[in-house]
Amino acid sequence: MLLVLLTLVWGLNWPVMKLGVTHFPPLSFRAMSMWLGLPVLFIAVRAMKVPLRIERSQWRELGSLTFTNMIVWHVLAVLSVQALSSGRAAILGYTMPVFSALWGVALFGQRLSPRQLLGVAAAAVGVALLLWHELGRMTGRPWAAAGMLVSAAVWALGTQQLRRTRMTAPTLAIVFWMTVITTLVMTVLATALEHDRWHEPSPVVWATIVFNAVLIFGFAQPVWLYLARSLAPVASTLSVMMIPVLGTLSGAWWLDEQLHWQDFAAIALMLVAIASVLWPARPLQASQAA
């Protein structure tokens, strides 16, 4: 249920975010969304009686996790989506599962099962198919495409690190303080780089900011980080691969972008990728492993 809701909210947010940053400075858009989302997150955490204390000895690791899981992603993604279409940005951003698998093998000695390898391969081919008609249009904006890929690679590393964190605090406490730190960083960057472009947001921009505040920072971001810490890294990353599909479809519907056969083939491959990590093992296999 959490994965379904997360997919819907994050998938639909790509055209929403594109609409917002088209009419408002991107870093300021993100900072305002986070400031409005923090009270929502705080109320939710307190309602669940989650202790917010982080031991002083763990502050450094908290900072490292914040950098790889949130700061790089939110800065580069919101800047890149201003120059790319929402569907294109979503596709590039969700190359993350492929990067996650590579980080796991390269840094953490992770061995991928045949089924996980199938999932990674299906996801990679699906992304390539979704990009089939986009490469020519991205050549004039290589920095934006590169920014999305770098943010995806760093986010993938953060997912691997979060799964292996030694922090003893509850996940929602970690999420809250990560959001606080990222909000402060975004505010400093927005003030330094965009203060001369500030203006009163239009009603449409306010609607996109509120959408991000409540549904992204109040719900989707905490849910994702909870799943990333709870599930195996490959499972948590491949299990959200329908998000770029929904982002592409909703962007096409909203922004009038044309879909091709490659898009529908990619949807089928994304479903294969998800099934490869979420389909339960047969009881016989499970008993033999025990």
Side-chain angles (χ1 to χ4, degrees):
M1 180 62 71
L2 287 176
L3 281 172
V4 170
L5 293 175
L6 178 67
T7 299
L8 289 173
V9 170
W10 247 345
L12 292 174
N13 187 54
W14 285 97
V16 169
M17 186 166 59
K18 173 66 176 180
L19 184 61
V21 301
T22 299
H23 302 287
F24 201 74
L27 296 173
S28 303
F29 167 86
R30 183 62 92 194
M32 291 177 66
S33 300
M34 298 186 81
W35 278 114
L36 292 177
L38 266 177
V40 177
L41 181 57
F42 178 78
I43 291 171
V45 170
R46 298 310 295 168
M48 289 185 282
K49 296 181 169 42
V50 176
L52 291 175
R53 177 179 171 80
I54 303 290
E55 296 295 333
R56 189 182 185 91
S57 60
Q58 298 177 345
W59 288 2
R60 182 173 180 177
E61 186 172 3
L62 175 66
S64 175
L65 290 174
T66 303
F67 181 78
T68 54
N69 281 279
M70 293 189 69
I71 292 177
V72 173
W73 168 259
H74 286 303
V75 171
L76 291 182
V78 80
L79 289 174
S80 299
V81 77
Q82 191 178 41
L84 300 169
S85 74
S86 60
R88 215 170 305 155
I91 294 162
L92 291 170
Y94 281 86
T95 54
M96 185 270 283
V98 180
F99 285 115
S100 181
L102 296 176
W103 283 123
V105 173
L107 297 182
F108 303 105
Q110 183 179 343
R111 291 179 175 270
L112 300 181
S113 68
R115 194 164 70 169
Q116 290 173 329
L117 286 171
L118 172 64
V120 171
V125 174
V127 168
L129 285 173
L130 287 171
L131 284 173
W132 190 291
H133 291 276
E134 306 296 341
L135 292 176
R137 280 174 283 183
M138 284 195 301
T139 54
R141 294 166 178 156
W143 67 266
M148 285 305 307
L149 289 172
V150 169
S151 64
V154 176
W155 179 23
L157 175 61
T159 300
Q160 292 280 355
Q161 292 173 332
L162 186 63
R163 182 69 176 84
R164 295 167 171 83
T165 181
R166 298 183 300 274
M167 295 183 67
T168 55
T171 300
L172 285 179
I174 297 173
V175 172
F176 177 78
W177 290 114
M178 287 169 65
T179 306
V180 169
I181 296 170
T182 307
T183 302
L184 295 175
V185 171
M186 296 296 296
T187 302
V188 170
L189 291 175
T191 303
L193 302 176
E194 298 178 345
H195 68 277
D196 57 332
R197 292 190 283 152
W198 286 349
H199 57 83
E200 177 67 27
S202 67
V204 171
V205 172
W206 272 121
T208 62
I209 289 173
V210 171
F211 183 98
N212 273 260
V214 176
L215 294 178
I216 299 303
F217 295 105
F219 171 75
Q221 186 81 63
V223 166
W224 162 254
L225 292 170
Y226 171 79
L227 293 174
R229 195 180 184 189
S230 304
L231 299 176
V234 174
S236 59
T237 52
L238 286 184
S239 60
V240 295
M241 281 305 296
M242 277 301 289
I243 291 174
V245 173
L246 182 57
T248 301
L249 294 177
S250 60
W253 170 71
W254 199 342
L255 305 175
D256 245 1
E257 295 173 352
Q258 186 179 1
L259 294 178
H260 306 274
W261 69 263
Q262 292 91 345
D263 302 298
F264 298 103
I267 291 173
L269 287 167
M270 298 304 186
L271 291 173
V272 171
I274 294 170
S276 72
V277 294
L278 292 184
W279 197 273
R282 289 181 295 180
L284 178 61
Q285 292 176 325
S287 63
Q288 288 175 344

